[in-house]
Amino acid sequence: QTRASPRRLPPRPPHRRTPPDSYLQGMAPAVDEYLAKGFKKLTDDGGVLKKVEEEGEEAEYEDDDETPPPGAMVSIHFTGSFPGGGAVFETSEGKAPTSFTLGEKRVVPGWEVAVATMKKNEKCTVYLASAYGYGKTGNKGIAPDQPLEFELHLIEWI
């Protein structure tokens, strides 16, 4: 009996993880580019940058806080997108505002940092390095280590 020679397969190509198109579209410009556009650092490492688009209201009374204190229940509208003109991945516009308590860590860390600096009715754009967004795990259509941009509008706090 003759035995058939084993079939030779080509060598396996090296493993390459190809990011989804949404990730490629969202590659963030360097922090310096944001600073050149008028963004300000909210964290020493440059992981959270903010640019005020519409100034908020001054405190009504002298002893009122101009920005929400830790523990305040805040209500915001937001639109999240990938930096550099990337696609919108989520928005609250046209829906009820999103509410959360500052300091309870129930939202991405960058929101905690940015919202704590906002005045009532302020609108701003924030850049979040991945560590201040969804980090190494990503989230529903957001690749791991993906920087993000959010338009935030602080409606009120109590």
Side-chain angles (χ1 to χ4, degrees):
Q1 288 180 330
T2 35
R3 222 170 148 176
S5 351
R7 194 174 93 191
R8 294 197 150 235
L9 298 173
R12 181 183 302 270
H15 178 71
R16 288 191 187 149
R17 183 168 174 235
T18 306
D21 288 343
S22 60
Y23 179 77
L24 296 175
Q25 292 170 354
M27 294 303 290
V31 169
D32 290 340
E33 291 179 38
Y34 278 91
L35 296 174
K37 293 177 186 175
F39 282 74
K40 304 289 184 215
K41 285 185 179 183
L42 297 184
T43 56
D44 291 338
D45 62 3
V48 181
L49 305 175
K50 174 184 163 187
K51 181 178 181 183
V52 175
E53 306 293 348
E54 283 185 35
E55 293 287 338
E57 299 171 14
E58 299 296 321
E60 195 171 338
Y61 299 103
E62 190 174 312
D63 58 345
D64 282 351
D65 292 319
E66 286 203 353
T67 59
M73 172 66 75
V74 297
S75 294
I76 65 169
H77 274 299
F78 71 92
T79 298
S81 62
F82 298 107
V88 169
F89 59 83
E90 190 173 0
T91 185
S92 69
E93 292 299 326
K95 303 174 192 169
T98 297
S99 296
F100 62 94
T101 302
L102 272 182
E104 286 190 349
K105 300 181 180 177
R106 295 180 182 237
V107 295
V108 294
W111 279 20
E112 295 268 357
V113 172
V115 172
T117 69
M118 296 176 71
K119 296 177 182 177
K120 184 178 178 183
N121 283 318
E122 179 179 308
K123 293 181 181 180
C124 67
T125 302
V126 294
Y127 163 84
L128 306 181
S130 66
Y132 292 92
Y134 294 106
K136 299 211 174 289
T137 58
N139 187 39
K140 300 180 212 162
I142 300 170
D145 297 318
Q146 172 66 56
L148 303 170
E149 248 182 50
F150 285 95
E151 293 173 17
L152 301 176
H153 173 197
L154 177 59
I155 299 165
E156 65 179 347
W157 76 84
I158 51 173

